[in-house]
Amino acid sequence: MIDPYEKLSSFSPKPLLIINGDQDTDSLFTYSLELYEKLLPLYAEQPENLRLSMPFVDHQFNYFMKLEACNWFEKHLGIH
């Protein structure tokens, strides 16, 4: 298992989108929220490169989440 907390300093300024359903019982949203909160200070100079999305879903990746991810990639990676 990879522990992202061991590598926090290597995240910024790379764009990072965290998507986690707030009703997910397999991957609790609290872990994503905790990671996001720890990363916030590291992204202080480029806050637009860090985003947390917690839609009202369980352990699924729905159309709106896919669209959000595609838009994120398009914006930050220049993919069209």
Side-chain angles (χ1 to χ4, degrees):
M1 183 171 174
I2 298 172
D3 184 359
Y5 295 100
E6 294 175 1
K7 304 205 181 291
L8 286 179
S9 64
S10 68
F11 282 53
S12 177
K14 296 177 216 123
L16 178 62
L17 169 63
I18 303 168
I19 302 178
N20 200 134
D22 72 351
Q23 300 298 305
D24 193 337
T25 56
D26 292 325
S27 299
L28 300 179
F29 78 89
T30 54
Y31 299 125
S32 294
L33 182 58
E34 183 180 337
L35 176 63
Y36 175 77
E37 289 173 346
K38 288 185 184 288
L39 288 170
L40 272 175
L42 301 174
Y43 280 85
E45 293 183 22
Q46 293 169 315
E48 69 281 358
N49 284 352
L50 179 63
R51 177 166 166 75
L52 173 64
S53 176
M54 290 194 308
F56 185 75
V57 296
D58 55 13
H59 193 72
Q60 61 179 312
F61 193 59
N62 66 28
Y63 170 78
F64 298 104
M65 296 163 84
K66 291 175 189 174
L67 183 60
E68 182 175 17
C70 288
N71 289 338
W72 179 266
F73 287 133
E74 184 176 281
K75 177 181 178 184
H76 291 280
L77 300 177
I79 298 172
H80 302 303

